[in-house]
Amino acid sequence: MNQQDTTAVPFPSSDHRSGETSNSSRDGSEPTKQAAEFVLTPAAASPTKAPSEKKRSSRLSDDKRFKIFSGSANRPLTEEIGKFLGVPVGETRLQRFSDGETHFQLLENVRGVDVFLVQPTCHPVDQNLVELLIMMDALRRASAGRITVVVPYYGYARQDRKDRPRVAITSKLVADLLATAGANRALFVDLHAAQIQGFFNIPVDHLFASPVLVGYFRDLQLPNLTVVSPDAGGVERARFFAKKLEVPLAIVDKRRTDINVTEVMNVIGDVRGRTCLILDDIVDTAGTLIKTADALLEQGAEKVYACASHAVLSGPAVERIAASRLEELVVTNTIPLSEAAQQVSKIKVLSIAGLLGRAIESIHMETSVSTLFN
């Protein structure tokens, strides 16, 4: 089957839906017109294959038992993945009721299909998480053959242990919610802690954005480069990165005094006269990042670059990065940048659509995912 051209079609007006049942909302009202609406309709009908041909093909564009769907959190990433795989993003309708509730409908048949649902749980975290659960429930009730939830950024990952009395372990709670809603398999990118995989009772594939980031900095050929871990917890990640680039490793010892508040203590390793590359998985308020960069420069570093998988960039993060002494902050598109962040020249975004696309293809074809990192 040839790849279909898709055309965005606006959601029809309420009078067009007169044939629908009256219980589409609790009070009989239609969802608000300010809804987030996504409808993709094929430009031309394609021939239907005989039942004997309904088997996995070496080309996903020919495989009728493979489909990819997107939530509203990062649709551009899903479309990039679909383009990489040569398949269109599945047709759905997503709206909000006037009270904020989510209304979701699949617009195509998924019975017996291997479905991949892409949705990061980024800001607004709770809304995107609930939307993801609702979409999975719809797929499960539509008799999807297998549902693989693709979460480029896993919200609540930082609350993965009981570090204070009477606190919740929300990382485990979200894992249970995903499985209960209907996920048969999960695919993540750079979890905050690798042991979060153990919270799931379903198969989990854990990808790393390092191949994309390493390739970028290898091409830059920065002189006298040293990779820096901003804390002890990220040493393993930074050591892998330094090994791939064949450069030294340094560590910044820090103490967290409160939520989103840190105090840098000292630098472990010689960074004088070096170009430093700070490596982290998440940049949230950027407080740790800026303090780490300042500490490295005070220790004699010539220049400081930074990279991270997930650009959360909440609160004053964008302003801090714009005013900082960082040369460049390189992130991936697991989370879409805000308009303010897009205006900052120091922030560069790399796409992981190819990495996710290859992983999705491997999962569907039941081949090894680990070979992506060899």
Side-chain angles (χ1 to χ4, degrees), residues 132-199:
L132 176 59
L133 299 175
I134 292 173
M135 290 188 292
M136 280 193 293
D137 186 70
L139 288 166
R140 179 172 59 87
R141 296 177 187 278
S143 301
R146 180 176 68 175
I147 303 171
T148 300
V149 57
V150 181
V151 185
Y153 170 69
Y154 185 64
Y156 287 111
R158 287 172 285 183
Q159 301 181 54
D160 59 352
R161 64 192 182 280
K162 203 173 178 185
D163 56 350
R164 298 180 184 182
R166 300 172 296 281
V167 297
I169 304 178
T170 50
S171 193
K172 166 62 173 171
L173 173 62
V174 172
D176 291 340
L177 289 173
L178 293 177
T180 301
N184 303 114
R185 193 179 191 97
L187 175 62
F188 302 108
V189 177
D190 273 325
L191 290 168
H192 187 61
Q195 59 266 29
I196 290 175
Q197 299 172 77
F199 290 160

Side-chain angles (χ1 to χ4, degrees), residues 32-43:
T32 60
K33 293 184 179 180
Q34 290 78 16
E37 303 162 355
F38 303 108
V39 182
L40 285 178
T41 302

Side-chain angles (χ1 to χ4, degrees), residues 277-298:
L277 172 58
I278 304 171
L279 175 67
D280 211 345
D281 62 326
I282 298 173
V283 178
D284 191 351
T285 61
T288 298
L289 177 62
I290 302 306
K291 289 181 180 179
T292 301
D294 290 341
L296 293 170
L297 290 169
E298 290 171 2

